[in-house]
Amino acid sequence: MTGPQDRRMFLRLLSLGISAPLLAACNAQGTPGMLKLLDLVGTKNEKLERWLLSRAGNDRVKSGVRVAGERFPSYFISPSVPTWDPAVSGAWQLVVDGAVRTPLRLDAAQLQRLATRTQRVNHYCVEGWTAAVEFQGVPMSTLARLAQPTADAGFVDFSSFDKGYHESWDIESTMHPQTMVAIAKDGTLLSPRYGAPARVHSPVKLGYKNTKYLTRITFMPTANGGYWSDLGYEWYGGT
């Protein structure tokens, strides 16, 4: 049971319009009762988000809104912009493995040949801002068709060379038609600032779930958290 103070705090936060995912994303701290209550609300919120995703159409940028271009923020957790150095690490490859029948190992040229989609979508940040962005890349559905996930693959982990940054997703968001492995932005191959050589992007997930500097996509029977998820951000991270 949570104490009266926990309940009053929770009700006060709700009255201010603060949702469970935002509390989690702010790495909210509190008594064990408060944290248990947040976990409960987070679980219920995830069910609602999954339900909304199942009924949502494709994300669309409003008419007249320009893409952010170079004003689109960059983000990484390394001390400086992560850059793949072939002289140190060898040729970059994207590995697709885990609960799949046909593991993949794709170099940059192979990934570029699969990059059939250009999409202009919204990017939603947990901090509250939204920006229009145009990416070119490979639909995750294409990679899944090649790798053939097994029936128990209910989750997917996206990991990177940015100090081991990773985030795991639900399979439904992964297979959304607008989820892609992006290799170019605004018609130009990604620069290190924006996650080169490849990054995952989808308008159905908040920005921190969209792993940059991608090296591995692992299909899994269970979720395995993520960099920010393990620090208290909402695991589902839907928009």
Side-chain angles (χ1 to χ4, degrees), residues 218-229:
T218 304
F219 287 81
M220 310 172 296
T222 58
N224 69 340
Y227 179 84
W228 286 113
S229 302

Side-chain angles (χ1 to χ4, degrees), residues 130-152:
T130 302
V133 61
E134 184 175 283
F135 281 121
Q136 297 81 37
V138 185
M140 269 303 302
S141 57
T142 298
L143 293 176
R145 185 171 67 251
L146 294 172
Q148 301 180 63
T150 55
D152 61 342

Side-chain angles (χ1 to χ4, degrees), residues 97-192:
D97 63 1
V100 297
R101 296 181 181 85
T102 309
L104 306 175
R105 193 174 287 269
L106 304 169
D107 61 27
Q110 291 170 319
L111 199 61
Q112 288 173 25
R113 285 196 290 271
L114 293 172
T116 60
R117 174 167 297 165
T118 296
Q119 62 184 27
R120 181 174 295 193
V121 294
N122 290 297
H123 176 90
Y124 300 93
C125 181
V126 70
E127 295 174 348
W129 58 264
T130 302
V133 61
E134 184 175 283
F135 281 121
Q136 297 81 37
V138 185
M140 269 303 302
S141 57
T142 298
L143 293 176
R145 185 171 67 251
L146 294 172
Q148 301 180 63
T150 55
D152 61 342
F155 301 88
V156 180
D157 186 76
F158 298 94
S159 59
S160 79
F161 62 91
D162 179 16
K163 287 188 67 176
Y165 190 102
H166 78 103
E167 284 289 342
S168 59
W169 293 28
D170 56 296
I171 192 69
E172 295 84 2
S173 298
T174 301
M175 300 307 296
H176 186 274
Q178 291 179 304
T179 299
M180 68 157 53
V181 171
I183 62 167
K185 176 179 170 293
D186 302 326
T188 304
L189 289 176
L190 290 174
S191 66

